[in-house]
Amino acid sequence: MDEESIRRQVLATLASVAPEIEPQRLRSDRPLREEVDLDSMDWLRFLGNLHQATGVSIPEADYRHLDSVDAVVAYLRQRMQSTSPGSVS
């Protein structure tokens, strides 16, 4: 999955958890939980739905790194590349 596809998936997943948002108006470099006003349950649902959509398991220790849309996209891209067949780890 390329970066743009990952970004679209992240925004679609976010919209499924917070349908009131307008993904095109989000600033992808801003703190995500503030930008979208996600509570703890919404945050966990978002991460769980991302796991289902992408197959990438996100351990709780990594949650603190996922502070913006850009950070989530970069994290998923890196994890997808490191687990794809033929990748060198």
Side-chain angles (χ1 to χ4, degrees), residues 79-89:
R79 294 289 302 268
M80 288 174 166
Q81 287 175 343
S82 68
T83 60
S84 66
S87 66
V88 177
S89 297

Side-chain angles (χ1 to χ4, degrees), residues 6-47:
I6 295 169
R7 185 173 302 278
R8 281 194 303 271
Q9 184 63 60
V10 167
L11 292 175
T13 302
L14 192 55
S16 74
V17 172
E20 71 280 1
I21 68 161
E22 296 178 46
Q24 68 278 7
R25 298 193 72 192
L26 291 178
R27 292 197 37 204
S28 62
D29 61 336
R30 302 251 332 193
L32 183 57
R33 289 183 70 181
E34 291 174 20
E35 188 83 354
V36 182
D37 194 28
L38 296 176
D39 64 24
S40 296
M41 292 306 296
D42 288 338
W43 179 248
L44 292 175
R45 192 172 328 120
F46 168 64
L47 295 175

Side-chain angles (χ1 to χ4, degrees), residues 1-12 14 28-29 32 43 46-47 50 54 56 58 65-81:
M1 198 179 272
D2 65 16
E3 186 170 337
E4 191 55 39
S5 297
I6 295 169
R7 185 173 302 278
R8 281 194 303 271
Q9 184 63 60
V10 167
L11 292 175
L14 192 55
S28 62
D29 61 336
L32 183 57
W43 179 248
F46 168 64
L47 295 175
L50 271 181
T54 64
V56 174
I58 304 171
H65 301 293
L66 307 176
D67 59 352
S68 67
V69 170
D70 288 344
V72 173
V73 170
Y75 178 88
L76 291 172
R77 184 170 187 211
Q78 188 271 327
R79 294 289 302 268
M80 288 174 166
Q81 287 175 343

